[in-house]
Amino acid sequence: RLPVDAAWLAAMAGSLSLLCDTTARETGVGDARYLVVEAGTGRIIVRRLLVHGTNLAVVLLTDKSVLLGMAWSRIGQVEQAMNAE
């Protein structure tokens, strides 16, 4: 994997999250919660979280060996920890 600028990745993830949520809402399927980009050697997972009333986008980069269930679990742990603060 190549090095990635954190600010750039955050901006891209936030934009993708908003685009997906808007598309989901305008098509009547509700709010989008996850976006998964399945690439050749890994995944980019973006999940919208509500932390103390503020919408955040969390990005998780994985390789293909990581099971999606494990990724969902880890993101859930992050959400719980952030809401506990």
Side-chain angles (χ1 to χ4, degrees), residues 19-72:
L19 178 63
C20 288
D21 191 49
T22 301
T23 302
R25 245 186 290 115
E26 289 187 7
T27 57
V29 297
D31 292 334
R33 296 187 319 143
Y34 295 99
L35 167 68
V36 178
V37 177
E38 186 84 28
T41 60
R43 295 182 187 97
I44 303 166
I45 301 169
V46 181
R47 169 138 184 237
R48 289 186 56 214
L49 305 179
L50 186 61
V51 177
H52 301 297
T54 301
N55 280 311
L56 301 176
V58 171
V59 181
L60 180 63
L61 304 174
T62 73
D63 61 34
K64 292 277 188 160
S65 69
V66 175
L67 300 174
L68 285 175
M70 292 175 67
W72 302 148

